[in-house]
Amino acid sequence: ATSGGDVTLGNVTSGRVDLSTSGGNMRTGDIHADVRLNTSGGDIELGNVGGEAGVNTSGGNITVKSVAKSLKANTSGGNINIGDVGGEAKVSTSGGDIQVRKVSGSATLSTSGGDIELGSASGIVKAHTSGGNLKLENITGSIDAATSGGDVAADLRPTGKGRSRLASSGGEITLSLPE
């Protein structure tokens, strides 16, 4: 833990990583374990994670290459860019865009002021933005998507008995159901 500086960590092959700083950026290499990163005022860049990941910043961007298990990522003021997640993903920002390449489980994505893009997910997808567009591709499962001020575009391959809902207060809705 540090009270006001950047934290840089190379590759970690075992154990658990738990880092926090009150005012700096955090950057790691690949971590073959569970990881928790917390900063009150900086960006977080995380390599490939072999376990679960929890990342939180009060004022910065979050970038994660991949997570083998579940991911929780939250920022109060920045963009979030995530690669592949092997389990469930819960991702939120109060003031930025969210981009996630692939989630192998359910995904909950929310932003108060930006766009959301999800490349692929299998499970229940919840995506909500107050002021942006939603682009949800290659979704196997169900979708609950809503925006107050943008368009919704979804590519859905429904399975099971899940219900889907797409809503926009001020934009277009496009739903594709590939065969």
Side-chain angles (χ1 to χ4, degrees):
T2 176
S3 61
D6 293 347
V7 176
T8 302
L9 180 67
N11 294 338
V12 176
T13 57
S14 65
R16 176 180 165 83
V17 175
D18 195 345
L19 297 172
S20 63
T21 180
S22 296
N25 298 323
M26 305 182 97
R27 176 176 289 135
T28 75
D30 296 341
I31 298 175
H32 301 281
D34 292 346
V35 62
R36 301 268 177 264
L37 302 177
N38 186 32
T39 178
S40 297
D43 295 339
I44 296 176
E45 292 182 36
L46 182 57
N48 298 305
V49 177
E52 296 182 352
V55 292
N56 183 57
T57 177
S58 297
N61 298 321
I62 295 174
T63 303
V64 180
K65 280 190 180 177
S66 72
V67 177
K69 296 182 180 175
S70 66
L71 167 70
K72 289 183 182 177
N74 179 62
T75 178
S76 297
N79 297 323
I80 300 177
N81 191 321
I82 310 292
D84 296 347
V85 179
E88 181 180 16
K90 293 183 178 179
V91 179
S92 64
T93 176
S94 297
D97 296 336
I98 296 173
Q99 291 183 313
V100 181
R101 185 171 48 226
K102 180 181 179 184
V103 178
S104 295
S106 297
T108 303
L109 313 172
S110 65
T111 176
S112 297
D115 297 336
I116 296 175
E117 289 186 30
L118 175 59
S120 173
S122 55
I124 299 168
V125 173
K126 296 179 181 175
H128 297 264
T129 177
S130 298
N133 298 319
L134 300 174
K135 184 177 179 183
L136 310 172
E137 299 176 319
N138 195 24
I139 308 301
T140 304
S142 64
I143 298 173
D144 179 3
T147 177
S148 298
D151 297 337
V152 178
D155 172 15
L156 176 63
R157 292 163 175 80
T159 59
K161 298 179 182 178
R163 297 182 60 174
S164 292
R165 180 182 77 90
L166 288 79
S168 175
S169 299
E172 295 182 7
I173 296 175
T174 306
L175 176 62
S176 301
L177 298 167
E179 296 185 25

